[in-house]
Amino acid sequence: MYNRFKKTNCSWLRVFLVLLSLILSSSANAQQMKIQGQNLASLKVDELNDDQIKNFYVQFLNSGYTQQDIEYELQKRKMPEAEIAKFKVRLEEILAKDKSLGSNQNAIKEDNADNNSRVNRSLDEGNPFEILIPKIFGSELFNNPKLSFEPNLKMATPVNYQLGPDDELLIDIFGYSEQSYRLVVSPEGQVRIPNLGPVLVAGLTVEQAQIKIRNKLISVYPRIGSGQTSVSVNLGSIRSIKVIILGEVTLPGTYSLPSLATVFNALYASGGPNLNGSFRNIKLVRGNKVIAKIDMYDFLLNGNSKGNIPLKDQDVIKVEPYENRVEVKGFTKREGFFEMKDKETLSQLLNFAGGFSPVAYTERIKVVRNTGSQKSISDIDKAMYVSFQPKNGDVFTIDSVLSRFENRIAIEGAVFRPGYFSLESNKTLSSLIKNADGLKEDAFMTRATVLRKKDDNSMEVISVDLLEIIKGTKDLELKREDKITIVSKLEMRENYTITINGPVMKPGIYPYAENMRVEDLIILAGGLKESASLENIQISERSYNVDRKNPQTELSKITTISIQKDLKGESEVLLKPFDVVTIFPQPSYQKQKQVVVNGQVMFPGTYVLAKGNERISDVIKRAGGLTARGFPEGAILIRPKSNTFQDLVVKENKLEALRKLSKDTTKLSEEIEKEMERTTDIVGINLDKILKNPGSKGDLFLMENDILEIPIIKQTVLVSGQVLYPVRLRYDKRASLKTYVSQAGGFSSQALKKRSYVVYANGTANDTKSFLFFKFYPKIKPGSEIVIPIKDEKKNLSTVEVISIATSLTSMLVILSTLLK
């Protein structure tokens, strides 16, 4: 039993797929022709407006085409040659009027100059040819690839479905006896049951056929009558029917459709009405008689599918040409072309268009109508909408409301509710101020301005006294678009500020307030620092009587006061706008000063200076002296250009980060050197002499943030500059500068020998001395760098320069000779 049903379902699935592919292939052909090909055979250029042609041209170029491609692409889409000629003339006229379109085309030409072959461009998005095709109401049902009207072959067999040739019946006998048959209705309308003979089922419903077949089977299976055996008759695959679709459709012809197909299924398969086809006059012909006239607007507008009639074999669907088609443009919910029947009115047309949009001007509609020889334009008032009957070719334009108000006034500034108000409720200035919840406390009362638009749209200003308005002694009648401005007294003066400098937590500029004292300002500034002095606080008051001709004139008035430590009490001086309060540090207050000792000392680190005259030798002694590997002759003193310990810490952190992140030691050294040069100065010292003679002139006093670097003993000498092979060599106290240069390959041809110099490890340098023909080279010490500079490049004189100099000399000789004579 299970195998029998499984076999039945598989056969049904195969038949279902065959029939589905049948209708999909026919509809796909039509859709491909209509959507991808954009058949323009029925397009009339005279019906296109300038905006359509202009928008098409811009989008055509943006799609990668050039102007020369237009004729070819229109021919490919089957536009008649006469219409192509009209289109080219219209386009040239538009380009002549709008020069910007021509420049755009030239720019596109340059971008595609190298593209000499015609390519198959994809127009799935932004198809420029869609702009040329009229937007006919209802056409989106047939040219939208995401919509379809394929018949539902999975639904239950309709009760009124009549069997016919090629239908398949599934007969199952089960119970006391079991048997199954899969029978196809013959062209004569019969099914032949084995051992029983033919049974006529054409014209019967499935239920009627089951009763008839059951009665026939009783003669073979007598237990059917007693109910011990049952019979089930079902419809297997359904037959296909031939339907002829002709008239104004995209792809007329004969179509094979499932017998469950309807009129809408057939229209979808043919691509729907073409540009000249009617959506409201579709005829269904059966047996040479028109059995129905279908108006698809019932379905499009109301969802009424009464016109979606089931089809029968050899039915004919004829789509008539439209009779009256009008265009609706502008501010409606649905723009496009609509068909109108006789006696239908403009009110019904607006209903087809979905009604007015929210910003539409609804009082009047413009219509352009063909009079036979020329065009005419008319205005249709709102009262005529229900009686005016559109005619074929009418173009209705719905404008938007004006961007202006018929009753608007505005108030801004020092009122509690500024904004727009209606003139009807605020005919006077006093009522407007009241409805704006009144004036703010800081309103400038002696003058307000009313900006008014005159009859010729020019502007005028009316000044009013708000005090008189508030008292009621005077009022102002307002007009449409009046704009009242009430300014604030605070906005009409410079922002009052006050400044505090010195050891407070947040020095800077603060807003001024009346009755402010120094104690109040200190609180605003976050309080005093511990170094702040409570005495000699100076208040500088702005002067308004400066005599610029007198150098002795007083620029500001200085007042000196004292305050209490806990800010109790109040100073006698009230601060004024723009005062500058300066608080000084205590004379006896001194923060700790720190220095850093790095390198080869017993206890490297940060040291606080104990005295103001502490020297290098003192700090070295506190650091435990040098280690056994310390190199005093290479010690240097680094003196930061900034004077805060915080800046020093930041610099040290930067250098440490460079050391951690850099894998290139050469680049690391360069970065460290640049950072050091930017933020510090190097002071050359002779630490060896300093330690031998503490307190000597070379034993410098240390300053805050000084860094003392004592390197490890160096045993090399670096030779750089104009030598054949710059190299670092082992130090030899017996070797001279020339010996080291010789070991580096000798001087190069560009070496400036007499300017050779040595940079010692402690940062000092010594150059080569000359006397007559003798050269005295500096002494070499461990860690030194020998630098051989390059000669200055000599530039040979050009021929023009030689002639110029010769001419000048000759002229000078002639002048001199003349003077001597």
Side-chain angles (χ1 to χ4, degrees), residues 449-486:
T449 58
V450 178
L451 191 63
R452 175 167 291 177
K453 185 178 290 187
K454 298 166 66 175
D455 294 339
D456 60 355
N457 279 344
S458 61
M459 306 301 293
E460 66 173 339
V461 173
I462 301 174
S463 301
V464 295
D465 188 336
L466 285 180
L467 289 174
E468 295 180 345
I469 299 294
I470 298 302
K471 292 177 181 178
T473 58
K474 186 182 290 187
D475 209 342
L476 176 67
E477 184 178 351
L478 300 179
K479 294 185 178 181
R480 183 184 69 85
E481 294 296 338
D482 277 356
K483 183 178 180 180
I484 297 90
T485 302
I486 300 173

Side-chain angles (χ1 to χ4, degrees), residues 750-770:
Q750 297 296 320
L752 187 60
K753 302 177 184 178
K754 62 181 180 180
R755 290 287 182 264
S756 302
Y757 62 93
V758 176
V759 178
Y760 297 107
N762 64 352
T764 60
N766 197 2
D767 63 346
T768 302
K769 305 293 190 298
S770 298

Side-chain angles (χ1 to χ4, degrees), residues 171-174 210 213-214 217 221 224 229-233:
I171 303 174
D172 284 309
I173 302 170
F174 54 93
Q210 178 171 334
I213 292 172
R214 181 179 179 277
L217 288 173
Y221 303 97
I224 293 176
T229 300
S230 300
V231 178
S232 173
V233 178

Side-chain angles (χ1 to χ4, degrees), residues 795-809:
K795 183 180 178 183
N796 295 326
L797 295 176
S798 64
T799 304
V800 175
E801 291 174 330
V802 171
I803 295 174
S804 177
I805 293 173
T807 302
S808 300
L809 292 174

Side-chain angles (χ1 to χ4, degrees), residues 634-654:
I636 60 173
L637 177 64
I638 302 173
R639 183 151 288 171
K641 294 179 180 178
S642 59
N643 294 321
T644 65
F645 187 72
Q646 289 78 5
D647 290 338
L648 177 65
V649 171
V650 170
K651 184 198 73 174
E652 289 291 336
N653 290 339
K654 285 184 179 179

Side-chain angles (χ1 to χ4, degrees), residues 517-533:
R517 289 177 166 79
V518 171
E519 293 84 354
D520 303 316
L521 182 57
I522 291 173
I523 294 297
L524 293 177
L528 296 170
K529 292 184 178 180
E530 65 174 14
S531 62
S533 173

Side-chain angles (χ1 to χ4, degrees), residues 451-694:
L451 191 63
R452 175 167 291 177
K453 185 178 290 187
K454 298 166 66 175
D455 294 339
D456 60 355
N457 279 344
S458 61
M459 306 301 293
E460 66 173 339
V461 173
I462 301 174
S463 301
V464 295
D465 188 336
L466 285 180
L467 289 174
E468 295 180 345
I469 299 294
I470 298 302
K471 292 177 181 178
T473 58
K474 186 182 290 187
D475 209 342
L476 176 67
E477 184 178 351
L478 300 179
K479 294 185 178 181
R480 183 184 69 85
E481 294 296 338
D482 277 356
K483 183 178 180 180
I484 297 90
T485 302
I486 300 173
V487 298
S488 166
K489 291 186 290 186
L490 301 178
E491 294 175 352
M492 295 182 63
R493 74 179 189 191
E494 186 180 358
N495 286 334
Y496 286 175
T497 60
I498 197 161
T499 305
I500 183 169
N501 299 320
V504 292
M505 301 305 293
K506 294 182 289 184
I509 300 174
Y510 292 88
Y512 168 80
E514 292 184 3
N515 300 318
M516 180 182 284
R517 289 177 166 79
V518 171
E519 293 84 354
D520 303 316
L521 182 57
I522 291 173
I523 294 297
L524 293 177
L528 296 170
K529 292 184 178 180
E530 65 174 14
S531 62
S533 173
L534 303 179
E535 300 177 352
N536 196 34
I537 297 175
Q538 295 186 3
I539 303 172
S540 302
E541 181 183 341
R542 178 177 290 185
S543 179
Y544 294 93
N545 297 306
V546 177
D547 184 1
R548 296 184 180 276
K549 296 181 179 180
N550 182 8
Q552 302 296 326
T553 186
E554 184 181 53
L555 299 179
S556 62
K557 182 180 179 182
I558 308 296
T559 303
T560 302
I561 65 169
S562 299
I563 60 174
Q564 298 182 31
K565 184 175 182 179
D566 54 5
L567 300 181
K568 284 186 177 181
E570 293 183 344
S571 55
E572 297 180 357
V573 179
L574 288 175
L575 298 179
K576 296 180 180 179
F578 310 112
D579 278 358
V580 177
V581 177
T582 305
I583 298 176
F584 297 95
Q586 301 174 27
S588 58
Y589 180 84
Q590 179 63 60
K591 292 198 306 182
Q592 297 92 330
K593 295 183 179 181
Q594 303 180 82
V595 297
V596 178
V597 181
N598 290 329
Q600 297 302 310
V601 293
M602 299 301 294
F603 302 101
T606 302
Y607 289 84
V608 177
L609 296 178
K611 299 178 295 183
N613 61 347
E614 194 159 7
R615 296 175 182 269
I616 294 175
S617 59
D618 299 328
V619 175
I620 293 293
K621 183 178 179 181
R622 291 169 59 189
L626 304 184
T627 65
R629 302 185 65 187
F631 183 45
E633 293 182 355
I636 60 173
L637 177 64
I638 302 173
R639 183 151 288 171
K641 294 179 180 178
S642 59
N643 294 321
T644 65
F645 187 72
Q646 289 78 5
D647 290 338
L648 177 65
V649 171
V650 170
K651 184 198 73 174
E652 289 291 336
N653 290 339
K654 285 184 179 179
L655 297 180
E656 185 62 27
L658 285 172
R659 291 188 183 97
K660 290 180 179 180
L661 295 177
S662 179
K663 297 180 180 179
D664 186 347
T665 55
T666 303
K667 185 176 181 181
L668 172 62
S669 300
E670 292 176 356
E671 293 292 337
I672 293 176
E673 185 176 351
K674 289 179 181 178
E675 184 67 22
M676 294 290 287
E677 289 178 355
R678 190 178 67 84
T679 60
T680 61
D681 292 322
I682 295 179
V683 181
I685 61 172
N686 192 331
L687 185 59
D688 191 27
K689 290 183 179 180
I690 291 173
L691 296 179
K692 291 178 181 179
N693 300 294

Side-chain angles (χ1 to χ4, degrees), residues 385-429:
Y385 292 174
V386 294
S387 60
F388 185 85
Q389 295 183 6
K391 292 185 178 180
N392 185 38
D394 284 355
V395 179
F396 296 88
T397 302
I398 292 86
D399 293 328
S400 63
V401 295
L402 298 177
S403 182
R404 58 180 289 174
F405 291 83
E406 60 184 17
N407 64 339
R408 182 179 67 173
I409 55 176
I411 186 170
E412 62 181 14
V415 292
F416 286 101
R417 294 191 182 277
Y420 294 105
F421 294 84
S422 67
L423 180 61
E424 292 84 356
S425 303
N426 305 275
K427 294 186 177 180
T428 62
L429 180 56

